[in-house]
Amino acid sequence: MASAVVVLDNGAYTAKVGVANQEEPRVVPNCIMKAKSERRRAFVGNQIEDCLDTSALFYILAFQRGYLLNWETQKTVWDYIFSKEGIGCSLDNRSIVVTEPQMNFPSVQEAMLEMLFEQFDVAGVYKTTAADLAAFNYVADSKERITMQTLNCIIIDVGYSFTHIVPFVLGRRVLEGIRRIDVGGKALTNHLKELISYRQLNMMDESHVVNQIKEDVCFVAEDFKEAMRVHQCEQKRKEVAVDYVLPDFTTNKRGYVRIPGQPRMDEETMQTVPLCNERFTVPELLFNPSNIGIKQVGIPEAVVDCLKACPWRAHRELLLNILIVGGSAQFPGFLPRLKKDLRALVPHDLEVSYICPKDPVRYAWYGGRKVAKSANFEELVYTRDEYEEFGVHGINRR
């Protein structure tokens, strides 16, 4: 039954998880965190909300360089997720829809299957990628205008460790067309840490706070060269420059942008970080990774390169159906800049159109929920009986 199926979009930064009959998933940090203020306790997932002082937070991540390698950490997080404190149910005798990275290593796939069957006693596993689930959700949202058999689209997944460009032609992934850029949310946060630490205040140990700063103030400049003239014009500088009030973890657990002329109580005594061109030079890495020495092209050029591996007859529809998901796609100005840069790279007789859902972070999970409710879901699941007969290698025969 679909109601018994658990859907887990197991991302490198957060895990989106819930039972298929729920409307919304829980978003859980996919890591273990330790704080200086409470050295004896490790915070797993959403337990970090109980921590009063999250300064100098130390992360123990399950994913390294975009792949699931720290199995001890992952098991600890999954134990928390599938408990009363997490989603309120275990995986015992339930089927699970679980995501993995693009081009995942066979050894990692096998270790995940073994953990799910041997340690979590699942009844069955449907292993897929976030891009596949996003594509399925896109088809479902089209209200029968598109079917999986006729789907031609490009998924741009701007994730934590990587950005993936994944083309689908007639409902199938074109493996030769998948492109990966080694820039995601993690690289942006680390770059902002270095800029602030070099120019203003040492925040190299403050990944949690700097990530909040990135989310609160960063944006994508539509014309980067023009935006860099901010220091030549006082008026432009006033429009871009902000003072970010850092959290003190007594009255404020999260920082905020100071509003001129509207001071808050005790604001004058609180520590601030002035920010100007950092606001747009950090997200610029998604379009120019070479700015920090990564010898790769940006997202628009990767999309064009991905098209070269697809049948030319599908190019028109592919460019009309570009679906953007992932947390780092939420920067203000991201869509206009991407459209402007891509428009300049593709033939003039081809239109370019984007679809960016209201919630790009949970979009793949919604697709997983719809897969779990589909009529042929039971045919997709690798069951416990098959696992006991064929082992971890049997799933690749499907």
Side-chain angles (χ1 to χ4, degrees):
M1 290 178 63
S3 59
V5 178
V6 170
V7 181
L8 171 61
D9 180 7
N10 199 48
Y13 182 57
T14 58
K16 284 68 69 177
V17 61
V19 181
N21 62 355
Q22 295 176 337
E23 290 298 316
E24 298 290 336
R26 284 195 66 177
V27 179
V28 180
N30 199 2
C31 57
I32 299 171
M33 292 152 281
K34 293 185 177 180
K36 277 188 176 181
S37 58
E38 300 184 50
R39 292 179 181 272
R40 295 183 180 181
R41 180 181 175 186
F43 297 91
V44 182
N46 287 331
Q47 289 177 349
I48 193 60
E49 294 170 4
D50 302 332
C51 183
L52 299 176
D53 186 349
T54 55
S55 60
L57 205 61
F58 178 71
Y59 289 85
I60 304 171
L61 299 168
F63 280 72
Q64 300 294 331
R65 295 182 180 271
Y67 294 97
L68 179 48
L69 301 177
N70 192 337
W71 293 101
E72 190 175 331
T73 299
Q74 188 64 89
K75 182 169 188 309
T76 302
V77 175
W78 283 357
D79 283 337
Y80 163 79
I81 288 174
F82 303 115
S83 67
K84 289 183 179 179
E85 194 179 352
I87 64 171
C89 69
S90 70
L91 281 178
D92 292 352
N93 296 317
R94 290 177 181 266
S95 292
I96 183 171
V97 177
V98 61
T99 62
E100 63 178 359
Q102 298 289 337
M103 307 297 188
N104 199 11
F105 296 109
S107 58
V108 176
Q109 297 179 44
E110 292 164 10
M112 183 171 69
L113 271 182
E114 190 174 326
M115 178 182 284
L116 287 170
F117 279 112
E118 301 291 345
Q119 300 188 39
F120 288 93
D121 296 319
V122 297
V125 175
Y126 174 51
K127 182 169 60 69
T128 183
T129 67
D132 282 288
L133 295 183
F136 189 90
N137 196 25
Y138 178 53
V139 170
D141 287 346
S142 71
K143 298 178 181 177
E144 300 184 359
R145 181 175 58 87
I146 305 171
T147 65
M148 281 305 293
Q149 289 71 35
T150 62
L151 173 68
N152 291 318
C153 78
I154 294 174
I155 309 288
I156 300 177
D157 186 356
V158 195
Y160 180 65
S161 302
F162 303 131
T163 296
H164 281 104
I165 319 295
V166 186
F168 286 79
V169 174
L170 299 179
R172 292 184 175 273
R173 273 186 305 165
V174 181
L175 297 180
E176 300 83 1
I178 296 175
R179 299 292 180 264
R180 189 186 83 185
I181 304 169
D182 296 336
V183 175
K186 184 179 181 181
L188 303 186
T189 299
N190 288 340
H191 185 50
L192 183 57
K193 264 196 309 189
E194 291 175 3
L195 290 178
I196 294 175
S197 298
Y198 180 73
R199 297 175 180 178
Q200 310 292 346
L201 178 70
N202 185 4
M203 298 190 74
M204 291 303 293
D205 294 330
E206 302 289 352
S207 296
H208 186 68
V209 176
V210 173
N211 191 65
Q212 292 177 341
I213 295 174
K214 179 190 74 176
E215 293 173 354
D216 290 345
V217 306
C218 285
F219 66 93
V220 175
E222 191 166 346
D223 186 333
F224 182 69
K225 288 184 179 179
E226 182 63 27
M228 282 301 288
R229 295 182 180 178
V230 66
H231 299 291
Q232 298 175 1
C233 175
E234 188 62 29
Q235 181 59 35
K236 282 187 178 180
R237 182 176 175 80
K238 286 180 180 178
E239 292 172 3
V240 175
V242 296
D243 287 330
Y244 192 87
V245 181
L246 297 174
D248 59 4
F249 303 107
T250 52
T251 57
N252 294 310
K253 287 192 71 175
R254 186 183 180 107
Y256 58 91
V257 176
R258 174 182 283 167
I259 302 174
Q262 300 179 33
R264 298 190 190 182
M265 189 180 297
D266 299 329
E267 195 175 83
E268 295 301 322
T269 61
M270 296 176 75
Q271 201 166 28
T272 62
V273 173
L275 298 165
C276 189
N277 67 17
E278 298 90 349
R279 295 182 63 193
F280 57 85
T281 54
V282 169
E284 182 65 21
L285 300 182
L286 295 170
F287 297 86
N288 287 293
S290 59
N291 287 358
I292 55 170
I294 297 175
K295 296 179 180 179
Q296 293 180 337
V297 296
I299 295 176
E301 293 84 357
V303 171
V304 172
D305 194 51
C306 135
L307 281 174
K308 295 175 183 177
C310 301
W312 66 269
R313 292 177 184 274
H315 286 192
R316 183 177 297 278
E317 273 197 72
L318 287 170
L319 289 172
L320 283 173
N321 295 278
I322 300 176
L323 178 64
I324 300 165
V325 296
S328 296
Q330 298 181 96
F331 288 114
F334 179 86
L335 285 178
R337 171 67 181 279
L338 186 57
K339 188 168 186 175
K340 172 176 171 282
D341 285 10
L342 192 53
R343 176 67 275 169
L345 295 172
V346 300
H348 294 294
D349 61 326
L350 297 179
E351 289 185 40
V352 177
S353 179
Y354 296 97
I355 304 97
C356 189
K358 291 181 181 178
D359 192 346
V361 174
R362 297 175 176 85
Y363 193 79
W365 185 89
Y366 296 135
R369 182 185 64 174
K370 290 168 183 173
V371 167
K373 290 183 175 182
S374 62
N376 64 335
F377 177 68
E378 295 299 329
E379 300 170 17
L380 303 173
V381 174
Y382 188 63
T383 64
R384 172 170 286 281
D385 290 342
E386 290 174 304
Y387 172 74
E388 289 175 352
E389 183 176 352
F390 303 110
V392 293
H393 305 290
I395 196 168
N396 296 322
R397 299 179 185 177
R398 281 179 166 274

